[in-house]
Amino acid sequence: YGVTLGGLIEIALLMVAQTIKAKKQFDTLQRDKIILMEESRFLSIDQVVSNIVHQWKQPLTQLGTSVTLMETFINHNENDAIKQIKSELPKVNFSIDLMKNTLEEFSSGNNKSIEKAPFFPLENVQSILNILHTKIILFNVTVGLNIDKELQIVSYEHIFSNIMMNFIDNSLDQFHNQKTNLIEIDIKENWQSYIIRYTDNAGGITLSPIEQVFEYRVTTKEDTKTHGRGLAMVKMLVEDRLNGTIGVKNTNDGVEFLIVLKKEI
């Protein structure tokens, strides 16, 4: 009996020890899970803020340029000041709207308050070219637009703006002092989709496989701290928000991006 009782006590103590060990492991797992969730939350916040900063870069630059121009005309050429201010106001309004909608988009995730609506892509792209006008002139770039002025896309206009601005700004950063710097934007539609083709002759993408260009923190530029988000963000916006597909390939002298957006039937 003594042996049996001793065995039972030993088993009981072993079970208690196992229970305590399991409880500690469970508590540790729960604590690690909470820490991981907190870290994930802060990383998500950091990513959202970084994305907003990235997308605000060009609109803020345009706002600063417009304000400087208006101040200059007011101080040195009052007779033409009103005319020049009126010419700058559409650029200012477009930049502010783009920043406002971008903030709502990234701060609220899939924000249901932002609805899809019809817009003219030709007018949209021309507004973006106005924002980047100084940079386009500086790099002696010719932009060809093959977009029907009557064509309308039913989607999120501010997301389309951000995608086009990323493409154009990336090309401008890659152009060198060659005689002919070209960007071409071609937008067509068929019965089921909108087809957006963007090409340049800035030398192409050196990454292999080329699809790496859509990954975060992957960039062909020297400054990896401030670059490496744009095209990853473009892919996310196209696939997650616009329900489309995006592809990329090198051409003889540059790169081609192809976006296909499904129409809502």
Side-chain angles (χ1 to χ4, degrees):
Y1 288 115
V3 174
T4 303
L5 182 60
L8 289 173
I9 293 173
E10 185 178 355
I11 292 172
L13 291 174
L14 181 61
M15 291 178 64
V16 170
Q18 290 293 339
T19 301
I20 295 173
K21 182 179 179 182
K23 179 67 166 57
K24 287 183 177 180
Q25 289 177 340
F26 178 79
D27 290 342
T28 301
L29 183 63
Q30 288 297 101
R31 185 173 64 253
D32 291 345
K33 184 178 179 180
I34 292 172
I35 293 173
L36 184 61
M37 289 175 64
E38 286 297 309
E39 289 179 350
S40 176
R41 184 170 68 87
F42 283 113
L43 285 173
S44 296
I45 293 172
D46 174 68
Q47 183 171 319
V48 167
V49 172
S50 297
N51 286 341
I52 291 172
V53 170
H54 185 90
Q55 298 294 63
W56 276 17
K57 181 177 64 174
Q58 287 302 331
L60 277 175
T61 300
Q62 174 58 45
L63 283 174
T65 301
S66 294
V67 169
T68 300
L69 284 173
M70 289 188 285
E71 287 179 342
T72 301
F73 279 104
I74 290 172
N75 293 330
H76 301 287
N77 194 354
E78 291 187 4
N79 295 331
D80 292 334
I82 294 178
K83 178 182 177 181
Q84 295 298 328
I85 289 173
K86 286 182 177 179
S87 70
E88 289 298 317
L89 284 179
K91 302 177 186 178
V92 171
N93 289 330
F94 183 85
S95 296
I96 291 174
D97 287 341
L98 182 56
M99 292 168 66
K100 172 178 172 290
N101 289 327
T102 299
L103 180 61
E104 291 178 357
E105 179 73 31
F106 283 108
S107 63
S108 302
N110 295 331
N111 194 333
K112 300 303 180 183
S113 65
I114 302 176
E115 300 291 339
K116 288 185 177 181
F119 65 92
F120 294 97
L122 178 60
E123 294 179 3
N124 184 283
V125 172
Q126 287 173 334
S127 296
I128 293 168
L129 294 177
N130 284 333
I131 288 179
L132 298 172
H133 177 72
T134 302
K135 202 170 181 180
I136 290 171
I137 296 298
L138 179 65
F139 289 99
N140 189 31
V141 178
T142 299
V143 181
L145 302 179
N146 188 15
I147 309 170
D148 191 326
K149 66 178 181 179
E150 302 297 330
L151 173 63
Q152 283 187 304
I153 292 179
V154 180
S155 189
Y156 301 106
E157 184 173 9
H158 67 286
I159 293 180
F160 177 86
S161 298
N162 281 326
I163 290 170
M164 289 294 106
M165 188 173 294
N166 266 291
F167 282 158
I168 298 170
D169 196 39
N170 279 345
S171 293
L172 294 175
D173 286 341
Q174 295 300 320
F175 280 127
H176 303 290
N177 294 325
Q178 55 192 40
K179 291 183 178 180
T180 306
N181 292 323
L182 298 175
I183 291 174
E184 295 203 7
I185 303 172
D186 181 281
I187 302 178
K188 295 287 189 295
E189 69 171 332
N190 55 36
W191 67 275
Q192 63 179 357
S193 59
Y194 306 105
I195 302 160
I196 303 165
R197 193 182 307 274
Y198 178 94
T199 59
D200 68 25
N201 66 338
I205 296 171
T206 58
L207 295 173
S208 181
I210 193 172
E211 287 77 16
Q212 287 186 40
V213 77
F214 293 125
E215 298 177 8
Y216 272 100
R217 296 301 182 189
V218 173
T219 179
T220 58
K221 301 175 183 178
E222 293 182 3
D223 185 359
T224 58
K225 292 184 178 180
T226 58
H227 294 100
R229 289 186 179 273
L231 291 177
M233 195 185 316
V234 165
K235 181 178 175 65
M236 178 194 71
L237 292 174
V238 169
E239 295 181 348
D240 296 347
R241 298 293 286 128
L242 303 186
N243 192 29
T245 61
I246 182 171
V248 59
K249 67 177 183 179
N250 281 324
T251 60
N252 290 334
D253 52 4
V255 68
E256 175 185 298
F257 292 94
L258 181 66
I259 295 175
V260 178
L261 305 179
K262 293 180 181 179
K263 290 182 178 179
E264 294 186 354
I265 300 176

